[in-house]
Amino acid sequence: MGRHPREFREMAVERMKESANIVALAKELGIERRLLYKWREELEPVGEIGKPPAHVAEAALRKQVAQLKRLVADKALEADFFKGALQKVEARRQSNLKTGETASTTKSGS
């Protein structure tokens, strides 16, 4: 059974489901993080046939979130690149307009 009563382990596993920071939860409860995962494996039912346990679904969702974050970061880099390129083009265009706007010629007397 271990040194922690079943009620405590069940409470910890329930809190784990809603916690965004498992390390902080483990610290708060005064236990090792690995113990939380062990308890979850022991206490959480497998679920209906064909339905993955909640932690498997959570892992899949976390993986998807990580992929989406990478995709967003890639798109942000692309946007920054194109923004910089556009600024350079606009700066060249402004530079060309300034040099071609007025000619410094003097009128010659006829």
mmCIF file with all atom_site columns, all heavy atoms in Angstrom, residues 40-57:
data_model
loop_
_atom_site.group_PDB
_atom_site.id
_atom_site.type_symbol
_atom_site.label_atom_id
_atom_site.label_alt_id
_atom_site.label_comp_id
_atom_site.label_asym_id
_atom_site.label_entity_id
_atom_site.label_seq_id
_atom_site.pdbx_PDB_ins_code
_atom_site.Cartn_x
_atom_site.Cartn_y
_atom_site.Cartn_z
_atom_site.occupancy
_atom_site.B_iso_or_equiv
_atom_site.pdbx_formal_charge
_atom_site.auth_seq_id
_atom_site.auth_comp_id
_atom_site.auth_asym_id
_atom_site.auth_atom_id
_atom_site.pdbx_PDB_model_num
ATOM 1   N N   . ARG A 1 40 ? -1.348  7.265  -10.946 1.00 0.00 ? 40 ARG A N   1
ATOM 2   C CA  . ARG A 1 40 ? -2.339  7.400  -12.015 1.00 0.00 ? 40 ARG A CA  1
ATOM 3   C C   . ARG A 1 40 ? -2.473  6.088  -12.779 1.00 0.00 ? 40 ARG A C   1
ATOM 4   O O   . ARG A 1 40 ? -3.581  5.652  -13.086 1.00 0.00 ? 40 ARG A O   1
ATOM 5   C CB  . ARG A 1 40 ? -1.954  8.533  -12.965 1.00 0.00 ? 40 ARG A CB  1
ATOM 6   C CG  . ARG A 1 40 ? -2.993  8.721  -14.074 1.00 0.00 ? 40 ARG A CG  1
ATOM 7   C CD  . ARG A 1 40 ? -2.706  9.893  -14.923 1.00 0.00 ? 40 ARG A CD  1
ATOM 8   N NE  . ARG A 1 40 ? -1.485  9.668  -15.692 1.00 0.00 ? 40 ARG A NE  1
ATOM 9   C CZ  . ARG A 1 40 ? -0.948  10.578 -16.491 1.00 0.00 ? 40 ARG A CZ  1
ATOM 10  N NH1 . ARG A 1 40 ? -1.505  11.767 -16.618 1.00 0.00 ? 40 ARG A NH1 1
ATOM 11  N NH2 . ARG A 1 40 ? 0.146   10.309 -17.164 1.00 0.00 ? 40 ARG A NH2 1
ATOM 12  N N   . GLU A 1 41 ? -1.338  5.450  -13.069 1.00 0.00 ? 41 GLU A N   1
ATOM 13  C CA  . GLU A 1 41 ? -1.381  4.164  -13.774 1.00 0.00 ? 41 GLU A CA  1
ATOM 14  C C   . GLU A 1 41 ? -2.113  3.105  -12.950 1.00 0.00 ? 41 GLU A C   1
ATOM 15  O O   . GLU A 1 41 ? -2.839  2.285  -13.502 1.00 0.00 ? 41 GLU A O   1
ATOM 16  C CB  . GLU A 1 41 ? 0.038   3.680  -14.085 1.00 0.00 ? 41 GLU A CB  1
ATOM 17  C CG  . GLU A 1 41 ? 0.758   4.501  -15.118 1.00 0.00 ? 41 GLU A CG  1
ATOM 18  C CD  . GLU A 1 41 ? 0.110   4.449  -16.487 1.00 0.00 ? 41 GLU A CD  1
ATOM 19  O OE1 . GLU A 1 41 ? -0.371  3.358  -16.883 1.00 0.00 ? 41 GLU A OE1 1
ATOM 20  O OE2 . GLU A 1 41 ? 0.077   5.494  -17.154 1.00 0.00 ? 41 GLU A OE2 1
ATOM 21  N N   . GLU A 1 42 ? -1.915  3.135  -11.643 1.00 0.00 ? 42 GLU A N   1
ATOM 22  C CA  . GLU A 1 42 ? -2.537  2.141  -10.769 1.00 0.00 ? 42 GLU A CA  1
ATOM 23  C C   . GLU A 1 42 ? -4.028  2.396  -10.560 1.00 0.00 ? 42 GLU A C   1
ATOM 24  O O   . GLU A 1 42 ? -4.825  1.460  -10.495 1.00 0.00 ? 42 GLU A O   1
ATOM 25  C CB  . GLU A 1 42 ? -1.856  2.132  -9.398  1.00 0.00 ? 42 GLU A CB  1
ATOM 26  C CG  . GLU A 1 42 ? -0.438  1.627  -9.421  1.00 0.00 ? 42 GLU A CG  1
ATOM 27  C CD  . GLU A 1 42 ? 0.276   1.836  -8.082  1.00 0.00 ? 42 GLU A CD  1
ATOM 28  O OE1 . GLU A 1 42 ? -0.313  2.441  -7.164  1.00 0.00 ? 42 GLU A OE1 1
ATOM 29  O OE2 . GLU A 1 42 ? 1.440   1.403  -7.979  1.00 0.00 ? 42 GLU A OE2 1
ATOM 30  N N   . LEU A 1 43 ? -4.411  3.654  -10.437 1.00 0.00 ? 43 LEU A N   1
ATOM 31  C CA  . LEU A 1 43 ? -5.768  3.992  -10.014 1.00 0.00 ? 43 LEU A CA  1
ATOM 32  C C   . LEU A 1 43 ? -6.736  4.285  -11.151 1.00 0.00 ? 43 LEU A C   1
ATOM 33  O O   . LEU A 1 43 ? -7.943  4.093  -10.994 1.00 0.00 ? 43 LEU A O   1
ATOM 34  C CB  . LEU A 1 43 ? -5.738  5.207  -9.074  1.00 0.00 ? 43 LEU A CB  1
ATOM 35  C CG  . LEU A 1 43 ? -4.985  5.011  -7.764  1.00 0.00 ? 43 LEU A CG  1
ATOM 36  C CD1 . LEU A 1 43 ? -4.872  6.327  -7.016  1.00 0.00 ? 43 LEU A CD1 1
ATOM 37  C CD2 . LEU A 1 43 ? -5.681  3.965  -6.910  1.00 0.00 ? 43 LEU A CD2 1
ATOM 38  N N   . GLU A 1 44 ? -6.239  4.777  -12.250 1.00 0.00 ? 44 GLU A N   1
ATOM 39  C CA  . GLU A 1 44 ? -7.140  5.202  -13.316 1.00 0.00 ? 44 GLU A CA  1
ATOM 40  C C   . GLU A 1 44 ? -7.619  3.995  -14.117 1.00 0.00 ? 44 GLU A C   1
ATOM 41  O O   . GLU A 1 44 ? -6.813  3.221  -14.609 1.00 0.00 ? 44 GLU A O   1
ATOM 42  C CB  . GLU A 1 44 ? -6.413  6.196  -14.231 1.00 0.00 ? 44 GLU A CB  1
ATOM 43  C CG  . GLU A 1 44 ? -7.354  7.020  -15.037 1.00 0.00 ? 44 GLU A CG  1
ATOM 44  C CD  . GLU A 1 44 ? -6.613  8.148  -15.713 1.00 0.00 ? 44 GLU A CD  1
ATOM 45  O OE1 . GLU A 1 44 ? -5.911  7.870  -16.693 1.00 0.00 ? 44 GLU A OE1 1
ATOM 46  O OE2 . GLU A 1 44 ? -6.734  9.286  -15.246 1.00 0.00 ? 44 GLU A OE2 1
ATOM 47  N N   . PRO A 1 45 ? -8.910  3.859  -14.248 1.00 0.00 ? 45 PRO A N   1
ATOM 48  C CA  . PRO A 1 45 ? -9.418  2.728  -15.035 1.00 0.00 ? 45 PRO A CA  1
ATOM 49  C C   . PRO A 1 45 ? -9.039  2.877  -16.506 1.00 0.00 ? 45 PRO A C   1
ATOM 50  O O   . PRO A 1 45 ? -8.876  3.985  -17.010 1.00 0.00 ? 45 PRO A O   1
ATOM 51  C CB  . PRO A 1 45 ? -10.931 2.804  -14.842 1.00 0.00 ? 45 PRO A CB  1
ATOM 52  C CG  . PRO A 1 45 ? -11.194 4.205  -14.439 1.00 0.00 ? 45 PRO A CG  1
ATOM 53  C CD  . PRO A 1 45 ? -9.956  4.707  -13.749 1.00 0.00 ? 45 PRO A CD  1
ATOM 54  N N   . VAL A 1 46 ? -8.914  1.757  -17.173 1.00 0.00 ? 46 VAL A N   1
ATOM 55  C CA  . VAL A 1 46 ? -8.521  1.762  -18.581 1.00 0.00 ? 46 VAL A CA  1
ATOM 56  C C   . VAL A 1 46 ? -9.609  2.383  -19.436 1.00 0.00 ? 46 VAL A C   1
ATOM 57  O O   . VAL A 1 46 ? -9.333  2.975  -20.456 1.00 0.00 ? 46 VAL A O   1
ATOM 58  C CB  . VAL A 1 46 ? -8.192  0.320  -19.049 1.00 0.00 ? 46 VAL A CB  1
ATOM 59  C CG1 . VAL A 1 46 ? -7.925  0.284  -20.529 1.00 0.00 ? 46 VAL A CG1 1
ATOM 60  C CG2 . VAL A 1 46 ? -7.016  -0.211 -18.269 1.00 0.00 ? 46 VAL A CG2 1
ATOM 61  N N   . GLY A 1 47 ? -10.835 2.301  -19.045 1.00 0.00 ? 47 GLY A N   1
ATOM 62  C CA  . GLY A 1 47 ? -11.922 2.898  -19.813 1.00 0.00 ? 47 GLY A CA  1
ATOM 63  C C   . GLY A 1 47 ? -12.657 1.836  -20.605 1.00 0.00 ? 47 GLY A C   1
ATOM 64  O O   . GLY A 1 47 ? -12.422 0.642  -20.469 1.00 0.00 ? 47 GLY A O   1
ATOM 65  N N   . GLU A 1 48 ? -13.546 2.295  -21.446 1.00 0.00 ? 48 GLU A N   1
ATOM 66  C CA  . GLU A 1 48 ? -14.335 1.374  -22.258 1.00 0.00 ? 48 GLU A CA  1
ATOM 67  C C   . GLU A 1 48 ? -13.451 0.731  -23.302 1.00 0.00 ? 48 GLU A C   1
ATOM 68  O O   . GLU A 1 48 ? -12.405 1.244  -23.657 1.00 0.00 ? 48 GLU A O   1
ATOM 69  C CB  . GLU A 1 48 ? -15.469 2.150  -22.941 1.00 0.00 ? 48 GLU A CB  1
ATOM 70  C CG  . GLU A 1 48 ? -16.421 2.803  -21.966 1.00 0.00 ? 48 GLU A CG  1
ATOM 71  C CD  . GLU A 1 48 ? -17.387 3.735  -22.678 1.00 0.00 ? 48 GLU A CD  1
ATOM 72  O OE1 . GLU A 1 48 ? -17.545 3.612  -23.901 1.00 0.00 ? 48 GLU A OE1 1
ATOM 73  O OE2 . GLU A 1 48 ? -17.966 4.579  -22.004 1.00 0.00 ? 48 GLU A OE2 1
ATOM 74  N N   . ILE A 1 49 ? -13.907 -0.384 -23.816 1.00 0.00 ? 49 ILE A N   1
ATOM 75  C CA  . ILE A 1 49 ? -13.143 -1.068 -24.858 1.00 0.00 ? 49 ILE A CA  1
ATOM 76  C C   . ILE A 1 49 ? -13.030 -0.150 -26.065 1.00 0.00 ? 49 ILE A C   1
ATOM 77  O O   . ILE A 1 49 ? -14.011 0.425  -26.534 1.00 0.00 ? 49 ILE A O   1
ATOM 78  C CB  . ILE A 1 49 ? -13.837 -2.386 -25.247 1.00 0.00 ? 49 ILE A CB  1
ATOM 79  C CG1 . ILE A 1 49 ? -13.837 -3.331 -24.048 1.00 0.00 ? 49 ILE A CG1 1
ATOM 80  C CG2 . ILE A 1 49 ? -13.152 -3.029 -26.447 1.00 0.00 ? 49 ILE A CG2 1
ATOM 81  C CD1 . ILE A 1 49 ? -14.597 -4.611 -24.275 1.00 0.00 ? 49 ILE A CD1 1
ATOM 82  N N   . GLY A 1 50 ? -11.811 0.000  -26.535 1.00 0.00 ? 50 GLY A N   1
ATOM 83  C CA  . GLY A 1 50 ? -11.575 0.854  -27.695 1.00 0.00 ? 50 GLY A CA  1
ATOM 84  C C   . GLY A 1 50 ? -11.358 2.312  -27.346 1.00 0.00 ? 50 GLY A C   1
ATOM 85  O O   . GLY A 1 50 ? -10.954 3.094  -28.175 1.00 0.00 ? 50 GLY A O   1
ATOM 86  N N   . LYS A 1 51 ? -11.644 2.683  -26.113 1.00 0.00 ? 51 LYS A N   1
ATOM 87  C CA  . LYS A 1 51 ? -11.458 4.076  -25.696 1.00 0.00 ? 51 LYS A CA  1
ATOM 88  C C   . LYS A 1 51 ? -10.174 4.172  -24.877 1.00 0.00 ? 51 LYS A C   1
ATOM 89  O O   . LYS A 1 51 ? -10.024 3.463  -23.886 1.00 0.00 ? 51 LYS A O   1
ATOM 90  C CB  . LYS A 1 51 ? -12.654 4.529  -24.855 1.00 0.00 ? 51 LYS A CB  1
ATOM 91  C CG  . LYS A 1 51 ? -12.580 5.963  -24.426 1.00 0.00 ? 51 LYS A CG  1
ATOM 92  C CD  . LYS A 1 51 ? -13.792 6.360  -23.615 1.00 0.00 ? 51 LYS A CD  1
ATOM 93  C CE  . LYS A 1 51 ? -13.651 7.761  -23.093 1.00 0.00 ? 51 LYS A CE  1
ATOM 94  N NZ  . LYS A 1 51 ? -14.728 8.106  -22.170 1.00 0.00 ? 51 LYS A NZ  1
ATOM 95  N N   . PRO A 1 52 ? -9.240  5.022  -25.298 1.00 0.00 ? 52 PRO A N   1
ATOM 96  C CA  . PRO A 1 52 ? -7.983  5.109  -24.547 1.00 0.00 ? 52 PRO A CA  1
ATOM 97  C C   . PRO A 1 52 ? -8.196  5.758  -23.186 1.00 0.00 ? 52 PRO A C   1
ATOM 98  O O   . PRO A 1 52 ? -9.124  6.534  -23.004 1.00 0.00 ? 52 PRO A O   1
ATOM 99  C CB  . PRO A 1 52 ? -7.103  5.999  -25.433 1.00 0.00 ? 52 PRO A CB  1
ATOM 100 C CG  . PRO A 1 52 ? -8.065  6.788  -26.243 1.00 0.00 ? 52 PRO A CG  1
ATOM 101 C CD  . PRO A 1 52 ? -9.282  5.932  -26.413 1.00 0.00 ? 52 PRO A CD  1
ATOM 102 N N   . PRO A 1 53 ? -7.337  5.430  -22.213 1.00 0.00 ? 53 PRO A N   1
ATOM 103 C CA  . PRO A 1 53 ? -7.433  6.093  -20.915 1.00 0.00 ? 53 PRO A CA  1
ATOM 104 C C   . PRO A 1 53 ? -7.224  7.594  -21.068 1.00 0.00 ? 53 PRO A C   1
ATOM 105 O O   . PRO A 1 53 ? -6.644  8.061  -22.051 1.00 0.00 ? 53 PRO A O   1
ATOM 106 C CB  . PRO A 1 53 ? -6.304  5.469  -20.095 1.00 0.00 ? 53 PRO A CB  1
ATOM 107 C CG  . PRO A 1 53 ? -5.778  4.334  -20.885 1.00 0.00 ? 53 PRO A CG  1
ATOM 108 C CD  . PRO A 1 53 ? -6.270  4.475  -22.284 1.00 0.00 ? 53 PRO A CD  1
ATOM 109 N N   . ALA A 1 54 ? -7.674  8.345  -20.081 1.00 0.00 ? 54 ALA A N   1
ATOM 110 C CA  . ALA A 1 54 ? -7.605  9.808  -20.157 1.00 0.00 ? 54 ALA A CA  1
ATOM 111 C C   . ALA A 1 54 ? -6.178  10.297 -20.355 1.00 0.00 ? 54 ALA A C   1
ATOM 112 O O   . ALA A 1 54 ? -5.941  11.228 -21.108 1.00 0.00 ? 54 ALA A O   1
ATOM 113 C CB  . ALA A 1 54 ? -8.214  10.422 -18.906 1.00 0.00 ? 54 ALA A CB  1
ATOM 114 N N   . HIS A 1 55 ? -5.206  9.654  -19.695 1.00 0.00 ? 55 HIS A N   1
ATOM 115 C CA  . HIS A 1 55 ? -3.833  10.138 -19.816 1.00 0.00 ? 55 HIS A CA  1
ATOM 116 C C   . HIS A 1 55 ? -3.269  9.893  -21.217 1.00 0.00 ? 55 HIS A C   1
ATOM 117 O O   . HIS A 1 55 ? -2.418  10.635 -21.665 1.00 0.00 ? 55 HIS A O   1
ATOM 118 C CB  . HIS A 1 55 ? -2.937  9.547  -18.727 1.00 0.00 ? 55 HIS A CB  1
ATOM 119 C CG  . HIS A 1 55 ? -2.784  8.064  -18.772 1.00 0.00 ? 55 HIS A CG  1
ATOM 120 N ND1 . HIS A 1 55 ? -3.717  7.218  -18.232 1.00 0.00 ? 55 HIS A ND1 1
ATOM 121 C CD2 . HIS A 1 55 ? -1.813  7.287  -19.293 1.00 0.00 ? 55 HIS A CD2 1
ATOM 122 C CE1 . HIS A 1 55 ? -3.317  5.967  -18.414 1.00 0.00 ? 55 HIS A CE1 1
ATOM 123 N NE2 . HIS A 1 55 ? -2.177  5.985  -19.059 1.00 0.00 ? 55 HIS A NE2 1
ATOM 124 N N   . VAL A 1 56 ? -3.749  8.865  -21.918 1.00 0.00 ? 56 VAL A N   1
ATOM 125 C CA  . VAL A 1 56 ? -3.297  8.626  -23.294 1.00 0.00 ? 56 VAL A CA  1
ATOM 126 C C   . VAL A 1 56 ? -3.859  9.714  -24.202 1.00 0.00 ? 56 VAL A C   1
ATOM 127 O O   . VAL A 1 56 ? -3.148  10.265 -25.041 1.00 0.00 ? 56 VAL A O   1
ATOM 128 C CB  . VAL A 1 56 ? -3.711  7.216  -23.772 1.00 0.00 ? 56 VAL A CB  1
ATOM 129 C CG1 . VAL A 1 56 ? -3.394  7.030  -25.242 1.00 0.00 ? 56 VAL A CG1 1
ATOM 130 C CG2 . VAL A 1 56 ? -3.030  6.147  -22.931 1.00 0.00 ? 56 VAL A CG2 1
ATOM 131 N N   . ALA A 1 57 ? -5.133  10.029 -24.012 1.00 0.00 ? 57 ALA A N   1
ATOM 132 C CA  . ALA A 1 57 ? -5.749  11.092 -24.802 1.00 0.00 ? 57 ALA A CA  1
ATOM 133 C C   . ALA A 1 57 ? -5.063  12.424 -24.505 1.00 0.00 ? 57 ALA A C   1
ATOM 134 O O   . ALA A 1 57 ? -4.814  13.225 -25.415 1.00 0.00 ? 57 ALA A O   1
ATOM 135 C CB  . ALA A 1 57 ? -7.245  11.177 -24.498 1.00 0.00 ? 57 ALA A CB  1
#
